[in-house]
Amino acid sequence: MPYNELRKDYLLDRWVVIATERSRRPTDLSKPNQEAVKTAVCPLCIGNENMTPPATMLYQKENGEVKRSQDPLIGERTKNWLVRVIPNLFPAFSPPKQSQDLQSIAKNDRLWNAIGEHEVIVESPIHDEDPSEADIPQLELVINAYIDRLKELSIKPYVKYVSIFRNYGLEAGASLSHAHSQVIATPTVPTTVQDEEKASKAFYSEQGKCIFCDIIEQETNGPRLISENDDFVVLAPYASINPMEFWILPKKHAPNILNLTAPEVSSFAKTLKSTLKALKDLVNDPPYNYGFHLAINPESKDSYHWHLEVYPKLSTWAGFEKSAGVYINTVTPETAAESLRNAIKS
Ligand SMILES: [Zn+2]
Ligand SMILES: [Zn+2]
Ligand SMILES: [Zn+2]
């Protein structure tokens, strides 16, 4: 019997056991759908704007054009919004209460104040307009909202990173079932991104090129490619730690999403929708998380390359994963890619 494979991540010092020997088909992972959280009244649905804080940013249609505005701090909230951004009611990171707090975000080596921002992006007035089902123009607005929030938050003096992510399904941590994403701005660069940045910088100084551009070139002709168009590639990473994990990478080198053109936003929306729809069809609408990895510091401009990582929640990390930090993935990335490829086509 051949051995399972122990694979190392492209960039991170992280190992995964790819269980080729007890490899499973993606459809084996299909579970009955978990009941979504049902609240009597959804605070994010249109008409219930008074149940949330005033929107710090919103898009609305005026004379056939999408306009950016915000709710007044006092008084009537906007009703005819398309996308709405609100402060999180239970923020993990909160803005400085007074300017002197900025002098001492770090108390000492082991204690910082969790100063930053935590927002909820309500992706649609329609409760279940998730990316896998959304109209492309609506999904373009969501991506534009990601860009606008990154633009606005990344220039704040206390912000070193902006994490844009989405939890879908109860088991993936979505406490509200209304289509939404979240944005957390932090006073440090989170460890995973920092490790990726370091590794890509080292690769750049050794090889004189971006490691992600290199990954794209190599994977485009290989068994882990899921889909490709003029602007983006979707692939199942070589050492993915989640069954059916996939990444979306732009072909054009860029450290972050700030300079995406309108056609690129549209192309990204279509790529995101088609892959999430394929995942949904293939494994019975599984819970998932996705998150952008990007760089906002100018030093990483040439060496870092933004991408979106999508982690379907189809397995449980148990004793070995938690205690040893080594993961076991029972669906090979090659099988994941093949099945997603076929699901996109059908
Ligand atoms: Zn709702
Ligand atoms: Zn690149
Ligand atoms: Zn990454």
Side-chain angles (χ1 to χ4, degrees), residues 210 212-213 253 305:
C210 158
F212 292 95
C213 288
H253 178 88
H305 189 126

Side-chain angles (χ1 to χ4, degrees), residues 1-252:
M1 195 168 84
Y3 295 108
N4 282 334
E5 289 182 13
L6 198 51
R7 295 188 186 179
K8 186 175 173 289
D9 184 74
Y10 299 118
L11 295 104
L12 304 173
D13 192 10
R14 185 183 69 194
W15 292 82
V16 57
V17 176
I18 302 291
T20 47
E21 276 319 292
R22 51 186 191 112
S23 179
R24 303 176 55 196
R25 283 167 308 171
T27 43
D28 296 344
L29 303 171
S30 192
K31 290 186 276 195
N33 224 332
Q34 270 256 344
E35 276 285 292
V37 193
K38 281 201 183 94
T39 39
V41 185
C42 171
L44 305 185
C45 266
I46 197 152
N48 298 338
E49 294 78 16
N50 284 325
M51 294 176 72
T52 65
T56 44
M57 187 192 97
L58 53 84
Y59 296 150
Q60 60 187 136
K61 209 162 223 171
E62 250 183 40
N63 308 322
E65 270 186 45
V66 177
K67 238 194 62 187
R68 188 186 147 164
S69 66
Q70 61 187 98
D71 278 335
L73 287 179
I74 325 161
E76 271 302 286
R77 294 184 188 155
T78 309
K79 300 282 181 206
N80 64 334
W81 52 274
L82 298 166
V83 169
R84 196 164 181 260
V85 180
I86 51 177
N88 192 305
L89 275 180
F90 306 100
F93 290 80
S94 34
K97 292 177 180 60
Q98 47 200 10
S99 60
Q100 71 234 47
D101 291 350
L102 291 180
Q103 308 311 314
S104 55
I105 299 180
K107 297 281 173 206
N108 61 49
D109 283 356
R110 303 181 62 175
L111 178 66
W112 288 49
N113 283 334
I115 286 179
E117 305 278 342
H118 192 168
E119 299 179 329
V120 174
I121 299 180
V122 189
E123 297 170 10
S124 166
I126 302 165
H127 188 83
D128 50 10
E129 191 170 20
D130 288 296
S132 62
E133 305 292 342
D135 283 341
I136 293 300
Q138 184 66 32
L139 200 46
E140 288 168 4
L141 292 179
V142 175
I143 293 152
N144 283 329
Y146 291 167
I147 297 169
D148 275 342
R149 295 326 291 155
L150 177 62
K151 201 174 283 172
E152 194 162 320
L153 298 178
S154 60
I155 55 171
K156 292 188 186 279
Y158 50 91
V159 169
K160 290 284 182 294
Y161 191 75
V162 179
S163 170
I164 303 166
F165 61 97
R166 181 170 215 278
N167 303 332
Y168 173 75
L170 193 57
E171 282 178 82
S175 50
L176 289 168
S177 58
H178 193 110
H180 71 284
S181 299
Q182 295 184 60
V183 182
I184 293 185
T186 56
T188 55
V189 180
T191 311
T192 305
V193 183
Q194 203 172 75
D195 289 349
E196 280 193 4
E197 267 192 72
K198 264 187 213 153
S200 54
K201 217 173 263 174
F203 186 91
Y204 192 85
S205 49
E206 269 168 37
Q207 312 265 337
K209 58 182 172 181
C210 158
I211 189 167
F212 292 95
C213 288
D214 202 56
I215 294 168
I216 292 169
E217 202 182 305
Q218 301 208 7
E219 296 287 12
T220 311
N221 300 310
R224 289 175 292 273
L225 179 74
I226 295 167
S227 73
E228 184 189 7
N229 56 35
D230 286 347
D231 307 303
F232 293 94
V233 295
V234 186
L235 56 89
Y238 169 72
S240 58
I241 58 176
N242 298 281
M244 309 302 291
E245 177 172 336
F246 60 88
W247 295 0
I248 303 177
L249 301 104
K251 285 184 175 172
K252 188 172 90 185

Side-chain angles (χ1 to χ4, degrees), residues 273-298:
K273 177 175 171 162
S274 64
T275 36
L276 285 175
K277 181 79 170 78
L279 177 71
K280 183 179 189 172
D281 292 345
L282 201 59
V283 260
N284 194 22
D285 198 12
Y288 65 80
N289 306 99
Y290 72 53
F292 286 83
H293 279 170
L294 47 85
I296 52 177
N297 84 59

